[in-house]
Amino acid sequence: MAVTMSPTIPVSAVQCAGSRRLCNATTLQARPDHPYHAPSYITISESILFVALSVFTLLGPTRPAWAENTGNGVAAGSQGQREAYTQWYTGSLVSPSGALTKAGVFAWEPYVAYSQPVGYLDSTGGGMPVHDRAHAVSNFTLYKYSITNSISLQMTPDISYGWRRGHGGTTSGLKMGDLPVDVMWRYLDADPKRFIPALSVFVGVAFPSGDYTRLGRDEDGVGTGTYTFRLAFTEQSTYTLPGHHELRLRMWGTFRRALTQAHIADTSSYGTTAGFRGLAHPGMYGESGFSLEYGVNQKWVIAMDLARDWANGAVVRGHDAQGRYQNLLGQASGDWLIAPAIEYNWSPRFGVIAGVTAIFAGHNTGQVISPQVAFNSIF
């Protein structure tokens, strides 16, 4: 499974009533529980893991793809058939899955998640209570189709409904966020016997389909209003442990950059209020991390993700209701996320995963716990 390439990626200074990462963003609008400070930036050291993973994946030579099944095959990084069975996987909650391993295959995986804020991490990483809590229930669905044995197309729309306790507002209905469309290419097939992993690259664009300007309610801001470039590098490999248990490892690094600016007016996703007219440009953001999936037996798998999100602040320029010129830069933010889960697979093509994502450290971001469940199917 892949949620890293989903629309629930952090856009600093964008408010959201829906997704986990959007709701963690810092706003430009000063509030008691989200104080505004001077502009800040992520440091180079915070992006070292992303850079290292990117360089690592680029070192792999290009090889022709070959496959025996639709997702758990050797080419995709899993073990081949052994004496008893081939291990079945659904995929962890956060890690991106690579291209499907057989042309003409279609994958469908709907997610349902509940977002529960529990606090706020300030610029020093210290915790503080949040009284204006943005809760949300969201449905994120992955659609993937394999054009060849190594190239797939992926689309990941999400729909959410949000509300705030202490503020009293809700979204005006079900809200669709920005729509990401990606092309993924597995340019190195795995060879488990030689400990060679499967390496993939994703390239795509998120289309501005979510509401972001002239909002009737603050909670309706679920989009950025910009076309966003999306890039990711992934690694996947599987190893057989003593007792014939298999352990699958995934590592990834993602990068996002807005290609356009958003024209905003009045209440917007960027924290502006009635009477404002101007432009907004989201800051760069991304994620890096790794996941482990341990096969208890053929059907049951224990999964765990550890990921680091980072985001630069958005730039907002324009005039407020009194005609004063505003040139604002949102705060940079970052968080550490852990996501334990349990998978159950009926077959190589059908499975379910249930778990929780939790932010346990970071700065200028909300602490959010998000229980979620997903059904994976391949046709």
Side-chain angles (χ1 to χ4, degrees), residues 37-42 123 311-313 329-333 363-364:
H37 300 285
S40 58
Y41 301 87
I42 62 166
S123 59
N312 283 335
L329 175 63
Q331 303 171 67
S333 63
H363 67 282
N364 295 330

Side-chain angles (χ1 to χ4, degrees), residues 335-350:
D335 66 68
W336 286 94
L337 170 77
I338 191 169
I342 297 177
E343 307 172 23
Y344 178 78
N345 303 278
W346 291 277
S347 72
R349 296 175 180 268
F350 300 99

Side-chain angles (χ1 to χ4, degrees), residues 73-360:
V74 175
S78 298
Q79 295 285 341
Q81 185 74 28
R82 57 185 175 84
E83 291 183 6
Y85 57 79
T86 299
Q87 181 66 54
W88 299 339
Y89 298 98
T90 296
S92 65
L93 287 176
V94 180
S95 65
S97 59
L100 296 168
T101 59
K102 187 176 182 180
V105 171
F106 174 73
W108 177 67
E109 186 167 13
Y111 266 71
V112 175
Y114 167 67
S115 176
Q116 167 68 54
V118 296
Y120 183 80
L121 298 171
D122 61 22
S123 59
T124 64
M128 55 189 299
V130 175
H131 303 291
D132 185 11
R133 298 187 176 186
H135 299 251
V137 174
S138 59
N139 168 248
F140 159 82
T141 304
L142 179 148
Y143 301 91
K144 186 187 296 187
Y145 178 77
S146 54
I147 301 174
T148 71
N149 290 349
S150 59
I151 298 176
S152 297
L153 292 176
Q154 178 175 280
M155 180 174 64
T156 50
D158 81 306
I159 299 174
S160 62
Y161 179 80
W163 66 96
R164 292 181 184 270
R165 293 180 180 175
H167 179 71
T170 67
T171 55
S172 56
L174 295 176
K175 310 300 292 186
M176 181 175 179
D178 292 347
L179 178 63
V181 178
D182 303 302
V183 178
M184 53 189 63
W185 172 41
R186 188 181 60 259
Y187 63 91
L188 178 65
D189 289 341
D191 187 344
K193 294 182 180 179
R194 298 170 58 193
F195 299 100
I196 295 176
L199 303 179
S200 300
V201 60
F202 299 8
V203 179
V205 173
F207 295 87
S209 56
D211 292 341
Y212 67 95
T213 187
R214 298 186 185 276
L215 304 176
R217 310 176 188 182
D218 290 340
E219 292 75 20
D220 283 345
V222 295
T224 64
T226 65
Y227 291 86
T228 303
F229 172 72
R230 298 158 53 83
L231 175 68
F233 296 98
T234 68
E235 179 274 350
Q236 179 174 295
S237 55
T238 307
Y239 308 95
T240 300
L241 302 180
H244 298 289
H245 298 282
E246 293 184 9
L247 180 71
R248 186 164 74 172
L249 167 68
R250 285 177 175 173
M251 295 189 294
W252 72 92
T254 69
F255 174 78
R256 308 286 186 265
R257 183 183 179 91
L259 300 174
T260 60
Q261 297 186 99
H263 292 265
I264 55 177
D266 300 322
T267 302
S268 74
S269 295
Y270 296 86
T272 58
T273 56
F276 185 89
R277 297 292 187 275
L279 297 172
H281 192 280
M284 295 182 293
Y285 53 97
E287 183 181 78
S288 54
F290 74 91
S291 70
L292 296 172
E293 295 173 87
Y294 175 76
V296 178
N297 54 40
Q298 185 181 36
K299 295 183 177 181
W300 288 96
V301 177
I302 300 173
M304 189 279 294
D305 295 274
L306 179 65
R308 164 66 170 167
D309 295 308
W310 60 267
N312 283 335
V315 177
V316 176
R317 298 185 178 93
H319 295 84
D320 62 18
Q322 287 73 42
R324 294 188 297 262
Y325 179 72
Q326 304 287 314
N327 187 355
L328 304 174
L329 175 63
Q331 303 171 67
S333 63
D335 66 68
W336 286 94
L337 170 77
I338 191 169
I342 297 177
E343 307 172 23
Y344 178 78
N345 303 278
W346 291 277
S347 72
R349 296 175 180 268
F350 300 99
V352 64
I353 182 171
V356 60
T357 62
I359 293 174
F360 63 90

Side-chain angles (χ1 to χ4, degrees), residues 41-57:
Y41 301 87
I42 62 166
T43 63
I44 295 177
S45 60
E46 290 180 289
S47 301
I48 287 178
L49 182 56
F50 164 72
V51 175
L53 288 174
S54 301
V55 172
F56 170 74
T57 54

